[in-house]
Amino acid sequence: MEREPMRIREGYLVKKGSMFNTWKPMWVVLLEDGIEFYKRKADNSPKGMVPLKGSSINSPCQDFGKRMFVFKLTAAKQQDHFFQAAYLEERDAWVRDIKKAIQCIDGGQRFARKSTRKSIRLPETINLSALYLSMKDPEKGIKELKLEKDKKVFNHCFTGTSVIDWLVSSNSIRNRKEGLMLASSLLNEGYLQPAGDTSKAAAEGLSDTPFLDLTDAYYYFPDSGFFCEGNSSDDDVVLKEEFRGIVVKQGCLLKQGHRRKNWKVRKFVLREDPAYLHYYDPAGGEDPLGAIHLRGCVVTAVEDMPDSKKYDLDNNLFEIITASEIHYYLQAASSAERTEWIKAIQAVARAGK
């Protein structure tokens, strides 16, 4: 009986139409041998599939100057497929896994995450999920720090050496060599993420081990609120999402009306459960003027739109596409604020109801 292809990564991305210049949210699934995309997460049949054999990937893709965090997948038949992520780390994670999947196909190997335990001979008694929770313990876990390197500031992260130190001190391993294998397994399974060029290069196979026991190799927990300040490959600043109980974030943004297409200042309140972005008259009033349901939505940065010059809009625009394919256009006061809103909205969309 033929084995089912492994699901490596899945999530909402915005995909460009193959015939028209339309961008729509799709539930994208990366398999060992291809990428499937669905109109909705709950759909059983994909709208299309791109085989990875003979494919190549290009990132960052500058073909669409007004859209950020785009990557291009060119199939063996030279057909281009364009996908847009919500922020820099998400795009880089997709690109990293797609590159690795293509390399595995070309080398006749299985994807690393499927064979991690067997290849590094981890004991069957090791529960990576339980170990991950222990590592994140606020009192006894790995301490998240603010670290500086190459004129960048990495927030909520830690060094590779500190991970191995913690594994040794918690009696999870017998020596640092065994710790390196265990940390590599955590990285391959997605419990740890690389931050910075040194750790990313190792994770992509440019070192003897995927994980580095070094003080200048940085890592972070995927749900920790990690963000990096400084210049990136796209000259973007990625900021953390801040959670304060039920209200995750609030502030004033410019919103485009759906009927008259005019822009007005609205006060927005982002709530975690249920996942709604309510907007109010900033002059006062307890009742919201409307709400955007965020469950299953896609949010992306945009650099321009047809009416932006008419209304003297400069930049810092972003777009929310709901599960029912309603488009909302908003403008933040700065690039940093826009990125902060995007990451907060995406986090709520994933976790909320």
Side-chain angles (χ1 to χ4, degrees), residues 302-319:
V302 292
E303 289 304 294
D304 198 4
M305 52 182 299
D307 294 329
S308 60
K309 292 182 179 179
K310 179 179 178 181
Y311 293 101
D312 195 26
L313 296 172
D314 187 12
N315 47 27
N316 306 323
L317 298 163
F318 63 98
E319 176 185 17

Side-chain angles (χ1 to χ4, degrees), residues 126-163:
I126 290 182
N127 186 327
L128 294 181
S129 178
L131 182 62
Y132 169 70
L133 293 177
S134 298
M135 294 171 75
K136 288 196 65 185
D137 185 276
E139 298 297 328
K140 300 179 180 180
I142 297 174
K143 302 303 179 186
E144 296 176 85
L145 305 170
K146 178 185 287 188
L147 301 171
E148 296 186 26
K149 183 183 178 183
D150 299 332
K151 298 182 179 180
K152 296 180 183 178
V153 179
F154 299 87
N155 296 266
H156 294 277
C157 70
F158 38 83
T159 68
T161 298
S162 67
V163 173

Side-chain angles (χ1 to χ4, degrees), residues 99-114:
K99 280 183 177 179
K100 186 182 290 185
I102 293 173
Q103 290 171 358
C104 288
I105 292 173
D106 293 343
Q109 301 171 337
R110 297 271 294 277
F111 194 87
R113 290 182 192 165
K114 190 67 178 180

Side-chain angles (χ1 to χ4, degrees), residues 57-304:
I57 191 166
N58 180 33
S59 176
C61 174
Q62 307 292 346
D63 292 27
F64 305 92
K66 298 173 184 177
R67 287 190 172 268
M68 302 171 66
F69 314 125
V70 174
F71 62 89
K72 177 172 70 173
L73 180 66
T74 303
K77 296 182 179 180
Q78 299 303 307
Q79 183 180 11
D80 293 333
H81 300 267
F82 298 92
F83 298 90
Q84 182 182 22
Y87 55 92
L88 182 66
E89 278 86 5
E90 183 183 53
R91 184 200 65 191
D92 288 350
W94 275 97
V95 171
R96 183 174 62 248
D97 283 347
I98 293 171
K99 280 183 177 179
K100 186 182 290 185
I102 293 173
Q103 290 171 358
C104 288
I105 292 173
D106 293 343
Q109 301 171 337
R110 297 271 294 277
F111 194 87
R113 290 182 192 165
K114 190 67 178 180
S115 56
T116 294
R117 186 177 293 274
K118 182 179 178 182
S119 63
I120 65 176
R121 297 176 184 174
L122 283 178
E124 293 296 332
T125 54
I126 290 182
N127 186 327
L128 294 181
S129 178
L131 182 62
Y132 169 70
L133 293 177
S134 298
M135 294 171 75
K136 288 196 65 185
D137 185 276
E139 298 297 328
K140 300 179 180 180
I142 297 174
K143 302 303 179 186
E144 296 176 85
L145 305 170
K146 178 185 287 188
L147 301 171
E148 296 186 26
K149 183 183 178 183
D150 299 332
K151 298 182 179 180
K152 296 180 183 178
V153 179
F154 299 87
N155 296 266
H156 294 277
C157 70
F158 38 83
T159 68
T161 298
S162 67
V163 173
I164 306 301
D165 288 344
W166 184 89
L167 291 172
V168 171
S169 64
S170 64
N171 297 318
S172 300
I173 53 172
R174 291 170 294 184
N175 51 58
R176 299 190 78 83
K177 183 177 180 181
E178 193 175 276
L180 199 59
M181 292 191 294
L182 182 53
S184 295
S185 179
L186 288 163
L187 182 70
N188 288 332
E189 295 291 342
Y191 291 109
L192 299 176
Q193 295 291 328
D197 295 337
T198 302
S199 56
K200 286 181 179 179
E204 291 174 1
L206 301 180
S207 181
D208 293 338
T209 58
F211 189 90
L212 298 175
D213 181 6
L214 298 174
T215 56
D216 62 345
Y218 298 162
Y219 300 89
Y220 65 95
F221 297 123
D223 55 353
S224 66
F226 164 83
F227 65 104
C228 173
E229 297 172 284
N231 295 326
S232 68
S233 59
D234 284 349
D235 293 326
D236 296 305
V237 178
V238 180
L239 301 178
K240 71 173 182 178
E241 60 268 62
E242 293 189 353
F243 295 89
R244 297 290 184 268
I246 295 176
V247 175
V248 175
K249 184 172 174 59
Q250 56 185 324
C252 289
L253 298 167
L254 270 175
K255 176 184 177 295
Q256 186 192 50
H258 275 99
R259 294 182 180 179
R260 297 182 180 179
K261 303 297 181 184
N262 56 334
W263 293 76
K264 291 185 178 180
V265 176
R266 296 290 181 231
K267 178 185 176 182
F268 284 83
V269 177
L270 177 60
R271 300 189 182 277
E272 187 174 12
D273 188 16
Y276 276 95
L277 181 62
H278 293 88
Y279 50 95
Y280 301 77
D281 184 342
E286 297 182 358
D287 296 327
L289 301 174
I292 304 172
H293 191 200
L294 300 176
R295 181 66 174 172
C297 80
V298 174
V299 55
T300 57
V302 292
E303 289 304 294
D304 198 4

